Each structure stands twice: as C-alpha cells, then as structure tokens.
Amino acid sequence: MTRQTSRNEAPAGADVATYALGLGDDVLVLAQRLSEWTARAPQLEDDVALLNIALDLVGQARNLLSLAGGRENPGRTEDDLAFWRDETEFRNAQIMELDGGDFGRTIARQFLVSAWHVPLWDGLRASTDPDLAAIAGKAVKEARYHVGYARHWLVRLGDGTPESRRRAQAGLEDVWPYVGELFEPDPVTERLVTAGAAPDPAVIEPVWREAVEAVLAEATLAVPPTVRRPTGGRRGVHTSAFGPLLAQMQHLHRSHPGASW
Amino acid sequence: MITRAGALHALESVTDPELPVLTIADLGILRDVRIDGDAVVVTITPTYSGCPAMAEIRSDVVAALTRAGAAAVTVDTALAPAWTTDWMSQQARDKLRAYGISPPTAGPSGPVDIPLSAVLGSLGARGRAAVGCPQCGSPDTEELSRFGSTSCKSLWRCRSCREPFDLFKDH
C-alpha cells in the first residue's frame, strides 16, 4: 500500500485529529504570546484584557488538544501534546508564533486572527463531528469579544496620534504576509469540508476580507499589498521566533515531570 | 442511599468560587443530575472555555454529595449546548445585583446572517438594555473595559454616583 493510498483511506477520525491539532496549536501558541504582556501592557485594563483573551484561548486549546489526542491510537493527553512535542511537531499557522512586538503589532495580529476565528468557529458549529461542533459553539462567543476588543484598539491607534498610527500600520505590515496561510487549502481540510465536518476556507476568506477592509478603513489604515511568504506551519515548518517561545512554554513541565500544585 | 431530590438539595450548597452568592444551578452550570444505582451522576458545563473554576467546582460537587451520603459521584463535563447567560434565572440576576454586580442585559443571541456583522456587529447589535448601576440604580453608566476581574465580567462606571462596578457579560 502506498503512502498516498493509505492517506486517502484514513478514517475521518484521523483527519479530525489532525485538523483539531492545527487549530488547537494556533490558540495555544497565540495564548503564550499574549501572556508575555502580563504586567507589561500600556495600562492595567489592557493587561487584564489581553490575559483574559489568553485564558479563553488556553481553554479552547485544552478542548481541541484533548480531542486531537483522544482520537489518536494510542491516545495522548492535552499535556503530552502541549509540553512533549518539539518544534517540527507543532501544526500552528506561523502568524500565531510571530514575536508580539509592540502593542501595535500585538493588536494588529489579534484583530486579523480573531476576525478569522469568528467565521471559522461559526461555520464549525455546523460540523458533522459533534465534538468539533461543541468546541466551536463555545469558542465563537469568546472570539466575538476578542475581535471587538482588537477592533476598538486598532481604530484608536490607527486614527490616533501620528506615532500610534505609524506603529499600527507597521505592525499590520509585519504580520500581513502571514495571513495567507490561514486560508491555504490542504488535503485534510478538503476531505473534512467534503464530509461536512469543517467550513471551507474559500468561503471564510471573503467574509474575513470584508470585515478586515471595513475596520482598516475605519482605522484610516492602509490595506498592505499582498505579499505571501513561504508557509508550512501546518506541516511543522516554523519561523525562528518559535523555538524560544516553546522553550519558555515547556521548560517548567519538562524540568518537573508530573509536578502539580 | 441518596435520592435525586436529596442530591439536588445538597448541590444548593455548591457556589461559584468567584461569585459566592450564586449556586451552580443559579448560573446554569449544573445541567443534569441523575441517580445510577448507588452513584450520583452530575453533568456540568463550563461558562467559558478557559474557566479556571471548573476543577474546584467539580471537587465541591463531589464533596457536597459525599457529605449528603452518596456512595459514588461521577461528574461529567458537557460543552454542548454552549452555556449562555440566558440560562440565568431571575432570582440569580437579583442576587447578583444585590451583591454589587450588574446582571447581563441582552436577549438571546441568534445567528447573524449578514457576513460583515457576523464578524463585527456581534456586540453592539444585540439590543442591549441600559446597564443600571447596581449601587444607585442610575442608567447613566459607561464601559471602562470589556474585560474585567474574571472571564465573565466587564468593568463599568456609574456617572451618577461615580462608583465603578462589574457587569456580568452577555454570553
């Protein structure tokens, strides 16, 4: 049996596990980036807000990684997946791992990602896989608060002082080349779309683009030109920013296996 | 052996650790209680995906039912249907207000069919009633921050009595 054949005949459960792993890694890695703002945000309210968003994302990651690990044989726990995989085994899109930079870049990335999460989770609520649908049903409500927060700040920065505007535009341009990966077709997603288990990225993209263009106009920011970088996060290819992030996220767990408090 | 009514009574002592005036039944976290032989099987649902109180609530449920004489307790977690503030009883809303937290204001959230508003219009578009100050009752209030001390609250200020207060977020 060739590799290609075995992949085509893989049960839907394996596809769901792969899909959930990618989406779970997205939110886990983004939560880790957001948590870097702990005690360092421009004001206390935003410290609290960014950490609340990170907490929602960690919760979503726990649900998605538990689902992914539970569909594997032999299974793995959420902790196995979060703490005992190395860089090339992570399946998050690269936009999630990029250095948060200044507040302008953090907000630009958060807006672009949350504006993708809302239609993604909304579509996934109708998944023929009941576990994916249940996780999405909770996540969509949370993502609506996230996109509202990021939109508010993007408009305030973009339509603010020359300095806040410069930083918002620069942050937007830093992360923009990485958005294409969110809509990239891949065989697993295509099979799940055919099975009614996942929303079609080609349907989500115009919804996302319309929302993004409307908010950038509101923020008086320019839509950056489309520059697509080499991607590969869903295949385990990551940027140089990712290794240090993982080291910080994993070292405590690996130094003290099984520890609890 | 414990009856279902006995189990429900025992669970009235289990409150949300962040909101000690509300029981898990008040909040809509408690979804089902059934008796299976000698065991009590309880189903709870998280408010938010990342709610850090779930582990404590789970152990409080086991402790309360064990004290009430249950031989075995199983606590299941269900994600669907997704928790909503629409499940909070009027009594729960009154208790929240008396505790100093303004209760959620919006009606049920339905699907939004316009693509743009499906992404962006989801917060302001729910027909929110005025947020009343839980201290003085004035409707002249403003949002300070959409995220507050816990996942389920946002931070507001009353322009009449000048007091800050928490609003239980619509969800």
Side-chain angles (χ1 to χ4, degrees):
Chain A
M1 191 185 282
T2 66
R3 181 177 288 269
Q4 187 59 46
T5 309
S6 74
R7 206 185 298 159
N8 282 346
E9 290 173 358
D15 281 348
V16 170
T18 303
Y19 185 73
L21 190 65
L23 298 182
D25 284 348
D26 281 351
V27 283
L28 177 66
V29 169
L30 185 54
Q32 180 70 17
R33 275 289 178 233
L34 285 175
S35 70
E36 292 170 357
W37 284 99
T38 307
R40 300 170 65 180
Q43 52 190 11
L44 182 60
E45 286 80 2
D46 293 291
D47 211 282
V48 170
L50 293 171
L51 269 294
N52 262 291
I53 294 173
L55 182 62
D56 285 343
L57 297 179
V58 168
Q60 295 165 11
R62 294 186 63 182
N63 290 336
L64 287 161
L65 295 184
S66 296
L67 172 61
R71 298 280 178 103
E72 292 179 351
N73 188 20
R76 283 186 284 183
T77 67
E78 50 181 310
D79 281 0
D80 293 337
L81 289 169
F83 298 121
W84 292 99
R85 281 180 300 154
D86 287 330
E87 191 175 333
T88 56
E89 297 168 280
F90 273 78
R91 293 291 179 265
N92 56 285
Q94 292 173 353
I95 192 172
M96 311 298 170
E97 74 207 32
L98 301 177
D99 191 283
D102 61 10
F103 190 67
R105 192 201 283 182
T106 286
I107 289 298
R109 187 238 313 267
Q110 195 60 47
F111 174 70
L112 297 176
V113 171
S114 295
W116 167 67
H117 271 147
V118 172
L120 173 75
W121 301 135
D122 196 38
L124 198 58
R125 280 198 293 182
S127 175
T128 49
D129 186 282
D131 292 332
L132 281 176
I135 292 169
K138 294 201 70 63
V140 68
K141 296 183 177 205
E142 293 154 5
R144 284 185 177 144
Y145 275 97
H146 305 168
V147 79
Y149 171 82
R151 171 201 193 173
H152 161 82
W153 262 114
L154 198 61
V155 171
R156 196 166 157 190
L157 294 175
D159 194 17
T161 67
E163 177 67 0
S164 72
R165 176 189 172 73
R166 182 186 69 74
R167 288 182 179 235
Q169 185 69 44
L172 191 63
E173 288 171 11
D174 290 341
V175 297
W176 188 263
Y178 295 86
V179 293
E181 189 176 9
L182 301 175
F183 309 104
E184 225 169 44
D186 71 85
V188 169
T189 305
E190 281 170 10
R191 284 197 295 275
L192 291 172
V193 169
T194 304
D200 189 344
V203 172
I204 294 174
E205 181 164 13
V207 175
W208 172 86
R209 184 167 298 277
E210 189 188 357
V212 167
E213 288 177 357
V215 169
L216 293 188
E218 190 185 357
T220 69
L221 293 169
V223 178
T226 298
V227 180
R228 293 216 171 158
R229 296 178 56 87
T231 60
R234 301 278 186 236
R235 300 187 308 276
V237 178
H238 295 285
T239 66
S240 59
F242 193 43
L245 177 149
L246 269 194
Q248 188 170 54
M249 187 177 85
Q250 295 177 330
H251 91 269
L252 187 69
H253 192 93
R254 291 187 178 202
S255 302
H256 305 277
S260 64
W261 65 78
Chain B
M1 197 168 118
I2 191 167
T3 61
R4 183 169 185 276
L8 283 170
H9 180 71
L11 290 172
E12 282 171 17
S13 70
V14 179
T15 56
D16 184 310
E18 299 284 0
L19 295 163
V21 288
L22 294 188
T23 69
I24 55 173
D26 286 337
L27 269 166
I29 292 174
L30 180 64
R31 301 314 301 159
D32 189 44
V33 178
R34 61 191 175 83
I35 306 295
D36 185 5
D38 280 345
V40 184
V41 181
V42 176
T43 304
I44 56 176
T45 193
T47 52
Y48 285 71
S49 297
C51 176
M54 287 306 281
E56 192 171 339
I57 289 173
R58 203 173 291 121
S59 64
D60 288 350
V61 165
V62 173
L65 291 172
T66 304
R67 272 199 309 273
V73 180
T74 303
V75 183
D76 291 333
T77 303
L79 295 182
W83 176 82
T84 166
T85 39
D86 300 343
W87 291 345
M88 284 178 63
S89 62
Q90 187 56 49
Q91 186 196 4
R93 289 161 198 257
D94 294 343
K95 281 199 243 177
L96 263 187
R97 195 180 290 107
Y99 187 61
I101 297 173
S102 196
T105 53
S109 52
V112 188
D113 55 8
I114 305 161
L116 186 61
S117 65
V119 179
L120 300 175
S122 42
L123 291 174
R126 285 186 65 188
R128 159 172 287 165
V131 172
C133 170
Q135 314 290 346
C136 72
S138 167
D140 187 15
T141 59
E142 61 183 343
E143 182 182 84
L144 291 178
S145 175
R146 188 150 292 163
F147 294 89
S149 54
T150 66
S151 299
C152 56
K153 287 176 278 186
S154 57
L155 187 60
W156 284 63
R157 170 167 59 196
C158 176
R159 282 192 284 240
S160 292
C161 72
R162 312 302 296 172
E163 286 291 320
F165 64 92
D166 280 333
L167 167 71
F168 204 99
K169 289 180 346 200
D170 299 312
H171 203 71

